Amino acid sequence: MTKTDPSGLKKGDTIQIKVASVALGGDGVSKDRGLPIFVAYSAPQDTIEVELFDVRKHFARAKILRVLEPSPQRTKPPCALFGVCGGCQLQHLEYSEQLRTKQSFLEQACRHIGGLEETVVLPTIPAENDLFYRNKVQFPVRNPKNSNRLLAGYFKADSHELVNIKHCPVQPGIIDQIMELVKTLFEESGFQAYDERTHTGLVRHINVRYSFATKKALLTFVINSTKTQFFSRHSRTIKHKLEMIAKDLMASIEDVAGVSVNFNSAEGNKILGDEFLSIGGEEYIEEILSSKRANAPQRLSSGVRYRLSPGSFFQINSEQAAKLFDAVRDAVGDTRPKLLVDAYAGVGAMALWLADLAEKVIAVEEHPAAVIDGRYNAELNNIDNVVFEQKSTEKALAELIKQKVTPDIVLVDPPRKGLSEEVVQALLKLNPEKIIYVSCNPSTLARDLKLFATDQPADLEKDVQKADCLGYKAKQVQPVDLFPHTHHVESVTILERRGHGLINLEEAR
């Protein structure tokens, strides 16, 4: 029996619709037929002929057959693989429309997920350079059936089918050059790509990190092996071949500063394992970020230097990262906090950018390599009021609560999954004057903002009768375009404490 929805639509139908807007995730959406119809690579005001491939009770999905009347916001994509490669979703939109769309993503999320009608979302801060901006790529690799040829690139949208990338317009040309030589050298070595179905094959990912300041690159080969196996007698040939590949790369391309191996023998789609080993050249590169604001302090105008190891987290767009960090400085404001806590600090990128605004900054990061880089970065920039603590955010906040230490400001920059409930509850207990939330995911940001708005922290209700918190109001959200041509958007949200003093939770109930 063919599946239909109450509007009478069914899978396989060909219909004509007009696109109203772009939804979270980048698909255009039309409500012409009584329910939302999502269409990838469509633009607001497009009139299109589509074929339905997924029809459900409350929504449907379709693919474009023909663009009948193109939107004024449509433009020619800069990449020939757009629509095939899943790396970018918005190249068909004029850049100004991309910026408006990303602002709307945050407005949609705050309203529909967070239930926050009054939250002010500011216009998106644009990128000066919307192409060739990526400072890092992580390419999975595959072998075609019955072939030793090595393919590396991005997956097609909603699939594990690899698109082999030779030229990518959102990454600098030197990365294209490096990747082509790497693939050739691996093919000549006879190494097989990892097969996730059989858990066989050696090479899982090829990662490149690039510094725009020094024009140097670090390569990391993610291999299906443990470190112990790598040094076993059986694997000596593999080790020697990889070292020779590293040597050939550095001899052929002077911009390659060093090559490392990452060991990941676990099943699943996790990209990196926990252990790295340098097999040639430098173990890190240095990036320099500078503020272009006329009123920026001299140290920011001159540039903050960052040492980056292969596994350390760093914003993927160096130029825009400086604008993001300036937006965080704006969020801190004119007051000089005695204590600022930077949670999920990575290599201390934001902590060092903010160091002159606070008497003391505690940078919390659980990954050892990032903490080592962060401490080195503080010395590199002659900053002595930033203290790095290697621990999880959950543990660090719990210790502050136990010690009865209340930061004036807490800065959080969590991964895409957002904050754990444990972190939200800990922040409500700590009750700082201000929380600054840097997010790369509008949906999880909105979810967490809704939790911060509560005046009844869940775990406190069970344990005590009073809580020193009235919740937090999201004062404003500032989008920053770190990922041009994709649906991803970074943002800086200012959360201000609603009130002071104790509330009685029993009375509140």
Side-chain angles (χ1 to χ4, degrees), residues 146-163:
N146 301 320
S147 172
N148 193 46
R149 185 178 172 223
L150 197 74
L151 309 180
Y154 295 110
F155 293 120
K156 287 185 178 180
D158 302 317
S159 81
H160 261 205
E161 184 178 347
L162 194 72
V163 178

Side-chain angles (χ1 to χ4, degrees), residues 95-104 124-127 481:
Y95 187 57
S96 58
E97 181 65 17
Q98 292 185 32
L99 298 174
R100 286 191 292 270
T101 295
K102 293 185 180 189
Q103 180 182 355
S104 78
T124 308
I125 296 175
D481 192 18

Side-chain angles (χ1 to χ4, degrees), residues 362-375:
I362 297 176
V364 178
E365 173 57 47
E366 63 180 332
H367 296 290
V371 172
I372 291 171
D373 284 344
R375 289 170 177 160

Side-chain angles (χ1 to χ4, degrees), residues 106-121 442 445-454 472-475 477 493-495 498:
L106 285 155
E107 290 170 341
Q108 291 173 50
C110 287
R111 185 167 57 251
H112 298 307
I113 300 173
L116 307 172
E117 297 293 338
E118 299 178 3
T119 300
V120 176
V121 180
L445 169 67
R447 177 203 68 197
D448 293 343
L449 295 185
K450 185 175 183 179
L451 293 174
F452 279 119
T454 184
Y472 287 81
K473 177 179 174 59
K475 181 181 178 182
V477 183
T493 300
I494 301 174
L495 287 151
R498 287 181 181 272

